[in-house]
Amino acid sequence: MNDIAIVSAYEALIGNTPLVKLSTLSRLVGRSVYVKMESLNPGGTGKDRAALAMRRSKTGGLVVEGTSGSTGIALASLCQRRGHACVVVLPDDQASEKQRILEALGAETYVVSNAAIANPNHYVNVARRLAVRANELGTVRAVFIDQFENVSNFDTHYEQTGPELWRQCKNLDAFVMSSGTGGTIAGIGRFLKEKHVSVKVVLVDPPGSALYHKIQHGVAFANQQRERELKRHRYDTLAEGIGLDRVTNNLALGVDFIDSAIRVMDQEAVDMAHWLLANEGLWVGSSSAMNVVGAVRVALQLPSKSTIVTIICDAGQRHVTRFWNRDFILSRGLEWPGDCERIPGCIQNIEGSAAL
């Protein structure tokens, strides 16, 4: 018994998430589409993996981080277990329920206007300054987790999530997902490529993100970054937690292993989310819906009976006030699938899709 490593209940539940086949979608596209259910980690997202690794990489009694929500929730949960204080800085384009969850977990939250990383008021930059200020006051050692640049993020997916997925599905032909910090797609993608070079690794990118052009053309640029059009505070997409205007340290470790990129628009994500709920029984968030759209597009480019894997990042309950809110969707100039019969564009031309 003394040889058994004792960890908290929260930590013990991180990882080993199931790989689930989307049966209806797979039958429709004639390829096997699987989703790795990272939403079933104890904190509700795959960010639990990175949060645990990054927290272990740094010491301090006050944890400070800038996050769109999911990493903060994971960190706040870990801080509760360890008796550490937690401060989280959020951009204001996230669902309000994330802030309420963070505060319920004991975190102190600050909300700032969304901005480019070059802006000193970007949420990551504000979090960094708060950590510096706390250390200057000297009452407690503060640690800035720095999820975008802390390569413990990449390491945990390269060393754990990638091998876990490979054990579950050694015959996959393509791995498809979006990028937030870049750690997940870089870590998993690089591991899979090193196991079998023929595995296609494809990035899914939302409107306003520069990564699509980085992968496709070698330059990190988005039309929204044009000087005459650049806004101090940008709200280019309703997708939360994905899309970047730079290559982070984490993404840099795997960017050369990404074969291509796909741009997915907001309406496609909304349509797919509603389709998944109706046809697969999965209630997913915005980034997960974009991932599945990307997986379908890649599937249709591959031979029949190919196997494609993507990630379900989180579930719909963290997106009730925005992505799953009819009024919000309409305010973005988009259509609400419940008001009319909408079929996701990536499958609407497939025979039999309208009958589902």
Side-chain angles (χ1 to χ4, degrees), residues 211-237:
L211 297 184
Y212 171 83
H213 285 292
K214 172 60 181 177
I215 301 301
Q216 293 295 96
H217 309 295
V219 178
F221 176 77
N223 289 335
Q224 290 84 348
Q225 293 175 302
R226 290 174 179 167
E227 186 175 351
R228 290 184 180 181
E229 300 175 6
L230 186 60
K231 299 176 181 178
R232 183 179 180 186
H233 302 300
R234 286 169 51 195
Y235 305 92
D236 302 323
T237 178

Side-chain angles (χ1 to χ4, degrees), residues 20-218:
V20 177
K21 186 174 184 177
L22 300 181
S23 300
T24 303
L25 187 61
S26 296
R27 187 167 59 251
L28 189 63
V29 300
R31 286 87 172 162
S32 296
V33 180
Y34 288 86
V35 290
K36 188 155 176 61
M37 297 296 296
E38 289 296 277
S39 59
L40 296 183
N41 279 291
T45 76
K47 295 296 185 181
D48 280 329
R49 299 178 187 260
L52 179 60
M54 292 186 293
R55 184 67 191 94
R56 287 174 171 169
S57 74
K58 297 189 175 186
T59 58
L62 171 61
V63 171
V64 184
E65 182 60 341
T67 166
S68 60
S70 294
T71 301
I73 291 169
L75 288 169
S77 299
L78 292 167
C79 286
Q80 277 283 356
R81 159 69 175 80
R82 297 167 185 229
H84 297 157
C86 183
V87 174
V88 173
V89 183
L90 297 155
D92 64 351
D93 63 345
Q94 305 301 301
S96 59
E97 47 266 41
K98 293 181 181 179
Q99 183 180 3
R100 292 199 293 270
I101 293 170
L102 282 162
E103 291 171 350
L105 290 169
E108 183 176 349
T109 61
Y110 296 90
V111 179
V112 299
S113 296
N114 196 24
I117 188 65
N119 189 318
N121 294 320
H122 184 279
Y123 64 95
V124 171
N125 297 330
V126 172
R128 183 183 290 106
R129 288 201 303 274
L130 287 175
V132 170
R133 179 58 177 158
N135 283 324
E136 289 174 348
L137 294 174
T139 54
V140 62
R141 174 172 170 75
V143 55
F144 174 53
I145 295 296
D146 199 12
Q147 63 172 322
F148 289 91
E149 311 303 334
N150 185 335
V151 296
S152 296
N153 181 349
F154 166 87
D155 290 343
T156 195
H157 294 295
Y158 179 77
E159 297 170 2
Q160 297 177 21
T161 322
E164 185 181 308
L165 174 57
W166 183 252
R167 289 193 298 271
Q168 293 171 317
C169 186
K170 288 186 173 66
N171 65 332
L172 78 166
D173 297 291
F175 175 70
V176 184
M177 74 167 296
S178 50
S179 174
T181 63
T184 309
I185 188 171
I188 296 176
R190 180 168 177 170
F191 177 85
L192 293 176
K193 276 288 194 182
E194 290 178 352
K195 294 299 289 186
H196 205 303
V197 70
S198 67
V199 175
K200 299 293 183 186
V201 178
V202 182
L203 169 77
V204 174
D205 216 28
S209 174
L211 297 184
Y212 171 83
H213 285 292
K214 172 60 181 177
I215 301 301
Q216 293 295 96
H217 309 295

Side-chain angles (χ1 to χ4, degrees), residues 257-306:
F257 297 84
I258 299 175
D259 295 288
S260 60
I262 292 174
R263 178 79 76 195
V264 175
M265 307 309 290
D266 287 348
Q267 185 68 63
E268 295 178 278
V270 173
D271 293 342
M272 179 56 77
H274 286 251
W275 190 92
L276 287 171
L277 181 58
N279 293 281
E280 300 285 358
L282 289 180
W283 188 28
V284 304
S286 52
S287 57
S288 301
M290 286 201 167
N291 284 349
V292 176
V293 172
V296 170
R297 287 215 213 143
V298 172
L300 293 174
Q301 295 171 4
L302 295 175
S304 62
K305 299 184 179 180
S306 295

